[in-house]
Amino acid sequence: MKNKLILLIAIYTLTSLILQSQDVFKTQRTAWLQKAEALKPKLAQVKVKPVHAITTRPDRGAFQGWRVDRKWSTDSLFTKSFKNQTGLILDFGQHLTGYFTMKLEEIRGVADAPTRIKLTFGEVPSEVSVPFEPYNGDLSRAWLQDEIVTVSEMPSEFTLTRRVSFRYVKLELLGASRFFDFKIADAWCMAGTSAAAVPPPLKPTTYEAIAKIDSIARNTLKECMQTVFEDGPKRDRRLWIGDLYLQSITNNHTFKNHNLTKRCLYLLAGLSTEEGYLPSNVFERPGPHSQKGAPFLFEYSLLYNATLLEYLKATNDRTTALDLWPVAKKQLDNPKKFMLDNGLFNDTAAAANRWWLFIDWKEGLDKQAPIQGLIIFALNQTVELAKMLGKQNEVAEIPALVEKMKKACMDHLYDKDLGLFVSGPGKQVSFASQAWMVLAGVTDTAESQKILTYVKEHPTAVKPGGPYLMHYYVEALMRSGLTSAARQQILSYWGNMVIKGADTFWEVYDPENDYASPYKFYPVNSYCHAWSCTPAYFIRKYPEVFQQ
Ligand code: RAM
């Protein structure tokens, strides 16, 4: 027994020693995290006051069934008793991310008891209108931005410690003494962003609807640009690689805050696992850390490489790209892990091993073909990066792997009768599969045009579930020269959000279902979401298509 114990302890110590020595970036990670820290931006702050007081009312024709009803000036709120105005909503007229302050003052008698007020912040009207209880959502109930404040003295000014992200705030009186009366004397938000630059105006020839989409897309990105590129300033308020990729390419064509991208690239590298693989998302506070134990989001680790390549192209900052090259190279271990001899990635084996293959928020989407395309895309991007850095000898075997994987697409995933790529045992046809095959360069221009056209006509093709995949679909249209279809897609998809009242673009949008939510409760969706900002990228990168 004793011997067994000693043996176990010895094995444990040895394994932890081996594991420790296996921290592949042990010597670099501290410096990477220090660089990230040094690049932390100071936010530009503005004080913003509400523009109106409003109420909402149910309306079947309105987005999520709620519309702004009456509007009146804030003067009456700020001068008259709040007791008769409970339930009022302040409308700030724009999406804000920051700290909310309110001032309360007596207007009759003396505050002989505490006053309790509930504040509910919302990005869209439904969030300040529908009850949150009973809450059956999949994510923490605490993401919903309702806060109860108890004020013990008057006059009084308080600032919520929680950072909020909103356009509307509903104020409800939960308790006050009947021996005195008070008013809300003032309210404001100190709003912050790290997107300080003003991007150049669009050409005067730009169609009005496109200009509007561009301005909302920029606003979306601006709000998500805090001390990192957050996925959503309301939720999840953290850096995710997939979101970063799309934000950084849009930033390259708008705010050009390249240091923020650099900071994020360093932060992720510094928080890579001991094996050297990238976590899908990281938190900044209380100190930089990743969500240990979370499933490995395989494709996001690969999209890091694409982000680094685009950063290098936009900045020419070879020093950073060379510093981080080992991380990019390390990610290339993974695609090979579940690669079959025939060049097909074994998505079911990867998923069984707790790898998260995301592609889109879409129930029932088969991932086999889209992930195959995405891997090829990322491998190509990494080879391009290697070439720019003079490191092609370090990825010498990749081009052959790419060819093999492309051949596997044609041999096993292409349905000649349909003229489309199919995915999984059920041979599912989806927009995701066609888009990623195009972006992988599996098809030439003529073939790409065909598959992107046929998929639209296919009666049961699985459509994109949200703006994230919609971005890649539009990118695929652009890449195949279907530029007017790309323009049309942006006008109809993002344009439709504008018609439905968006100030910032949403995390999830299904034109056929305003209540769609991957989290089983639509108010917890993020309505200012990173990956929805890319119309500004397309509009500015291709002025000949979008600004004429
Ligand atoms: C959600 C967020 C985030 C995304 C991940 C995969 O939690 O919407 O933006 O990157 O999913």
Side-chain angles (χ1 to χ4, degrees):
M1 182 68 194
K2 202 175 160 199
N3 284 352
K4 249 191 187 169
L5 198 69
I6 294 174
L7 190 70
L8 274 177
I9 295 175
I11 293 174
Y12 175 79
T13 326
L14 204 69
T15 341
S16 15
L17 276 176
I18 293 172
L19 278 180
Q20 266 170 31
S21 62
Q22 271 177 351
D23 181 358
V24 287
F25 297 127
K26 195 173 177 204
T27 53
Q28 291 112 303
R29 63 175 79 247
T30 313
W32 287 340
L33 288 175
Q34 279 166 354
K35 284 182 190 163
E37 185 59 29
L39 288 160
K40 190 186 272 179
K42 255 195 116 39
L43 301 184
Q45 304 266 5
V46 280
K47 181 174 175 176
V48 186
K49 302 250 249 170
V51 289
H52 308 288
I54 61 159
T55 48
T56 58
R57 74 174 160 85
D59 176 346
R60 281 209 200 149
F63 177 59
Q64 298 178 334
W66 287 90
R67 76 160 55 263
V68 171
D69 185 17
R70 284 185 53 208
K71 277 188 191 168
W72 59 93
S73 109
T74 49
D75 295 351
S76 94
L77 175 74
F78 291 156
T79 49
K80 295 193 189 132
S81 163
F82 180 61
K83 285 186 176 174
N84 311 316
Q85 301 186 76
T86 175
L88 255 192
I89 299 164
L90 294 178
D91 175 4
F92 281 73
Q94 57 179 309
H95 191 280
L96 300 169
T97 301
Y99 294 90
F100 179 80
T101 302
M102 209 157 86
K103 261 183 165 177
L104 306 184
E105 278 170 19
E106 287 151 322
I107 53 172
R108 176 179 60 78
V110 172
D112 63 323
T115 301
R116 182 164 293 164
I117 296 176
K118 179 173 171 189
L119 302 120
T120 308
F121 296 84
E123 297 181 306
V124 288
S126 67
E127 271 178 285
V128 287
S129 311
V130 296
F132 293 162
E133 259 68 43
Y135 182 74
N136 295 314
D138 280 345
L139 302 179
S140 165
R141 159 71 175 77
W143 280 121
L144 295 164
Q145 304 179 106
D146 52 340
E147 300 287 320
I148 291 173
V149 185
T150 303
V151 177
S152 303
E153 297 149 23
M154 293 235 186
S156 169
E157 178 181 311
F158 66 84
T159 300
L160 288 185
T161 48
R162 174 181 187 175
R163 196 195 75 188
V164 280
S165 191
F166 70 106
R167 169 174 168 171
Y168 307 101
V169 51
K170 178 158 78 179
L171 310 172
E172 290 167 288
L173 187 58
L174 298 188
S177 161
R178 55 198 170 88
F179 302 112
F180 93 113
D181 204 354
F182 74 101
K183 64 177 183 184
I184 290 173
D186 207 354
W188 65 87
C189 174
M190 284 303 293
T193 173
S194 55
V198 182
L202 301 176
K203 285 191 196 168
T205 45
T206 313
Y207 185 46
E208 213 183 296
I210 294 274
K212 182 87 186 148
I213 292 172
D214 172 75
S215 110
I216 297 175
R218 277 185 287 119
N219 206 31
T220 307
L221 179 58
K222 181 197 112 208
E223 290 290 285
C224 294
M225 286 170 70
Q226 298 292 323
T227 44
V228 292
F229 281 103
E230 292 184 10
D231 61 332
K234 178 183 99 176
R235 208 217 81 239
D236 308 321
R237 296 182 52 164
R238 74 189 72 145
L239 170 63
W240 285 83
I241 298 177
D243 300 83
L244 168 66
Y245 173 53
L246 299 186
Q247 286 170 300
S248 69
I249 58 174
T250 308
N251 173 57
N252 289 344
H253 291 276
T254 53
F255 303 111
K256 300 189 196 291
N257 184 350
H258 301 303
N259 273 344
L260 191 66
T261 309
K262 185 172 169 184
R263 164 169 162 76
C264 294
L265 288 166
Y266 271 117
L267 203 56
L268 288 158
L271 296 172
S272 55
T273 62
E274 294 197 340
E275 295 88 2
Y277 305 133
L278 290 160
S280 59
N281 69 96
V282 299
F283 307 86
E284 297 174 270
R285 280 172 287 271
H289 63 287
S290 66
Q291 194 182 355
K292 290 228 168 75
F296 174 55
L297 210 172
F298 170 49
E299 73 223 54
Y300 274 20
S301 70
L302 296 179
L303 288 174
Y304 180 91
N305 298 7
T307 314
L308 187 57
L309 170 67
E310 295 301 334
Y311 169 78
L312 176 62
K313 283 191 191 166
T315 60
N316 227 352
D317 176 3
R318 288 176 63 83
T319 318
T320 299
L322 281 167
D323 202 9
L324 295 173
W325 166 249
V327 183
K329 188 180 152 196
K330 189 71 195 159
Q331 307 315 304
L332 299 183
D333 290 357
N334 288 320
K336 297 173 207 156
K337 286 184 185 159
F338 295 103
M339 192 66 68
L340 301 172
D341 290 341
N342 63 7
L344 277 185
F345 180 75
N346 188 346
D347 63 310
T348 24
N353 206 40
R354 266 196 101 221
W355 283 19
W356 182 10
L357 310 177
F358 173 59
I359 303 290
D360 188 16
W361 279 130
K362 184 78 182 183
E363 273 296 300
L365 176 68
D366 192 276
K367 314 285 167 83
Q368 183 194 28
I371 200 76
Q372 176 89 6
L374 193 153
I375 297 170
I376 302 172
F377 166 82
L379 293 178
N380 284 333
Q381 300 271 298
T382 314
V383 171
E384 189 179 342
L385 175 65
K387 282 189 185 149
M388 284 180 76
L389 297 174
K391 299 279 184 189
Q392 51 278 53
N393 57 330
E394 295 185 26
V395 291
E397 84 291 3
I398 299 297
L401 175 62
V402 163
E403 285 317 309
K404 190 171 167 185
M405 290 187 73
K406 280 186 176 176
K407 186 170 179 301
C409 294
M410 295 313 296
D411 292 351
H412 304 285
L413 301 174
Y414 186 67
D415 182 321
K416 286 199 193 75
D417 298 333
L418 289 175
L420 287 166
F421 288 92
V422 294
S423 185
K427 304 211 173 306
Q428 184 186 75
V429 172
S430 68
F431 280 65
S433 299
Q434 319 311 315
W436 277 112
M437 287 298 156
V438 170
L439 297 175
V442 171
T443 43
D444 64 21
T445 307
E447 288 159 346
S448 299
Q449 294 194 350
K450 270 192 200 154
I451 63 170
L452 293 173
T453 310
Y454 292 171
V455 73
K456 279 211 246 176
E457 292 156 8
H458 191 280
T460 57
V462 178
K463 293 189 182 140
Y468 178 67
L469 183 66
M470 192 56 88
H471 163 86
Y472 291 110
Y473 171 60
V474 174
E475 186 80 285
L477 289 170
M478 289 303 296
R479 189 178 160 140
S480 349
L482 294 171
T483 55
S484 55
R487 182 185 151 100
Q488 208 35 55
Q489 192 61 46
I490 290 188
L491 276 168
S492 66
Y493 187 73
W494 278 272
N496 220 247
M497 287 192 234
V498 179
I499 292 168
K500 291 184 180 178
D503 308 292
T504 46
F505 290 126
W506 308 329
E507 173 185 19
V508 181
Y509 178 54
D510 175 352
E512 283 149 34
N513 176 13
D514 284 355
Y515 303 91
S517 171
Y519 317 110
K520 303 199 181 85
F521 191 62
Y522 65 88
V524 88
N525 289 4
S526 157
Y527 293 93
C528 172
H529 209 72
W531 64 29
S532 212
C533 75
T534 63
Y537 154 81
F538 291 113
I539 293 167
R540 285 157 186 276
K541 182 170 178 190
Y542 305 106
E544 67 290 357
V545 175
F546 294 97
Q547 297 186 34
Q548 296 298 355

